[in-house]
Amino acid sequence: MSTDFARRLLRAQWLRLRRYCPDASLTAAFFVLGLPSYLRGLLRSRRHRVREQWSGGETIGSARRVAVFVHFDRHGHIHDWLEHYLGELRSAGYSVIFVSNAPRLSAEAVAKVRPHCGLVLRRDNIGHDFGAYRDGIGHIPDLGQLDALLLANDSVYGPFHPLVDILARMSPDQASVWGITDGVEGGFHLQSYFLLFHRAALQSGAFGRFWREYRYVQSRYWNILKYEIGLSRALSTAGIRCRALFSYRRAAAILGDRDACAHLPTPGRKSAESTTALIANGVPVNPTHDLWDVLIGEMGCPFIKRDLLRVDPARKLGPRNWRAVINSVSDYDTTMIPDFPPPPSRHADT
């Protein structure tokens, strides 16, 4: 690779990232952190990375609505809560392509998911969720015949409400692309753990171009900026309306209204005032971490992030009574969700 070519390549990627994200400092951080992985991605074959596949309990070929569902478990386990999620997808009328990034899937694990799915794939864990989404889409016999495509992953517990009712609210008359939640850090984008594409979006040039230009990049930062944020940006730029069912701005407004969320089991959590202050000062927050109880308890959001319960990254669980929040609005069996020890305090007791 010549010096001049390398320089032009790096400049082109910098300009692309800047187009996705107006925040220069954020772009610079993601560029530096993700560049080595991106360059390795250029050297990788663009072939699909599926290593094993099994037919499921139904056919994909004639399906008009397909869900590509991404799974990862370092031991290849299939838990009860995951079977519940897959069952809800099937009940909602979606044929599921189950794509696992696990190192291996046992015969028992495959047997658990096959009744819920049309196809089960196990692939190399390259490119995180977007790499798996791409490979799953590549196994759809005829994308042009679909009325809807759902991309979802196992980074959440739920749904706490019937998924068929949630999906019915995501009308193609109001938007061609839907997410459960949206974010504003780095610019507006739909959070990629649940994305619904209606026919108008699937048949657009922007959707096809995004996946044709995709590279398997093993950088979380690059995947967030170029692919999660970049997908919403590319579709919106093409005139395709993207909308979240439970919007960031609405959740933030509810948190700021003490009367509106006074009935929640966590109205006095210490993080509420600090989160409200951040939002009031224009500092973006992650709604699935910082506004989780408002989303679930007040707005009816059907999911809670697994990493929120496991590590509580923003220390936002307050008294950690998340079960009470879920049980106050749903009959979901929360015993399917494991108990996690509280994260260590940032400050030692004195």
Side-chain angles (χ1 to χ4, degrees):
M1 183 183 295
S2 69
T3 302
D4 182 59
F5 177 78
R7 184 182 300 111
R8 286 188 285 112
L9 175 65
L10 295 179
R11 175 173 173 74
Q13 292 307 312
W14 168 259
L15 292 176
R16 283 184 180 180
L17 290 177
R18 287 289 289 121
R19 186 168 71 248
Y20 297 142
C21 178
D23 187 330
S25 61
L26 185 61
T27 303
F30 280 18
F31 185 78
V32 171
L33 291 168
L35 182 61
S37 182
Y38 173 76
L39 294 177
R40 287 194 297 272
L42 291 180
L43 302 176
R44 294 189 181 111
S45 169
R46 296 187 65 189
R47 63 180 172 81
H48 298 308
R49 297 186 167 272
V50 174
R51 297 303 183 190
E52 297 178 283
Q53 69 179 67
W54 301 265
S55 60
E58 56 186 51
T59 60
I60 293 292
S62 60
R64 304 298 296 268
R65 293 182 288 181
V66 170
V68 175
F69 188 91
V70 176
H71 160 264
F72 176 78
D73 185 281
R74 66 180 68 256
H75 303 295
H77 292 160
I78 304 297
H79 299 281
D80 291 347
W81 59 265
L82 180 57
E83 288 189 78
H84 169 80
Y85 194 161
L86 295 176
E88 282 290 314
L89 288 170
R90 188 180 183 190
S91 295
Y94 280 75
S95 295
V96 179
I97 297 178
F98 184 85
V99 186
S100 179
N101 286 336
R104 64 181 297 273
L105 285 178
S106 67
E108 180 184 4
V110 174
K112 285 185 175 182
V113 299
R114 287 181 73 177
H116 304 292
C117 304
L119 186 63
V120 179
L121 309 174
R122 190 192 65 80
R123 64 183 294 278
D124 296 333
N125 189 14
I126 301 294
H128 299 286
D129 290 340
F130 271 88
Y133 285 154
R134 183 181 187 271
D135 286 348
I137 292 171
H139 279 76
I140 298 174
D142 184 1
L143 193 64
Q145 79 171 4
L146 297 189
D147 293 326
L149 170 67
L150 177 64
L151 303 182
N153 64 42
D154 66 353
S155 67
V156 293
Y157 293 115
F160 308 136
H161 310 288
L163 201 53
V164 64
D165 296 338
I166 296 294
L167 289 165
R169 295 169 59 187
M170 298 178 165
S171 168
D173 296 332
Q174 299 180 46
S176 295
V177 183
W178 285 88
I180 290 292
T181 51
D182 56 1
V184 297
E185 185 174 13
F188 167 83
H189 63 280
L190 300 177
Q191 295 188 303
S192 60
Y193 65 89
F194 192 103
L195 295 171
L196 177 65
F197 302 85
H198 289 296
R199 177 179 286 272
L202 295 175
Q203 295 184 344
S204 70
F207 182 87
R209 185 165 52 252
F210 176 89
W211 294 108
R212 285 194 302 272
E213 295 179 352
Y214 173 83
R215 294 293 187 275
Y216 295 100
V217 178
Q218 198 66 2
S219 165
R220 179 175 179 271
Y221 303 100
W222 201 276
N223 275 278
I224 290 173
L225 184 56
K226 187 167 184 178
Y227 297 131
E228 182 174 62
I229 298 176
L231 177 57
S232 295
R233 181 65 58 87
L235 295 174
S236 297
T237 300
I240 298 169
R241 187 175 184 193
C242 302
R243 183 174 177 182
L245 192 59
F246 304 99
S247 76
Y248 173 91
R249 298 192 183 283
R250 174 60 180 155
I254 291 174
L255 182 67
D257 184 344
R258 292 183 179 275
D259 292 333
C261 60
H263 66 285
L264 293 177
T266 56
R269 61 185 174 98
K270 294 180 180 178
S271 59
E273 292 184 0
S274 61
T275 301
T276 301
L278 288 172
I279 294 171
N281 287 300
V283 179
V285 300
N286 184 338
T288 59
H289 290 167
D290 299 80
L291 303 169
W292 69 273
D293 48 353
V294 172
L295 285 169
I296 296 170
E298 175 64 24
M299 300 177 69
C301 179
F303 297 110
I304 191 168
K305 274 287 189 174
R306 291 175 62 197
D307 65 344
L308 178 67
L309 304 187
R310 188 173 63 251
V311 298
D312 194 6
R315 302 300 195 271
K316 299 299 181 183
L317 280 175
R320 297 187 62 83
N321 55 349
W322 53 268
R323 289 189 197 275
V325 177
I326 297 172
N327 292 333
S328 70
V329 295
S330 169
D331 60 2
Y332 178 84
D333 182 5
T334 57
T335 63
M336 292 190 292
I337 302 177
D339 284 310
F340 297 96
S345 174
R346 290 181 178 178
H347 306 288
D349 294 334
T350 56

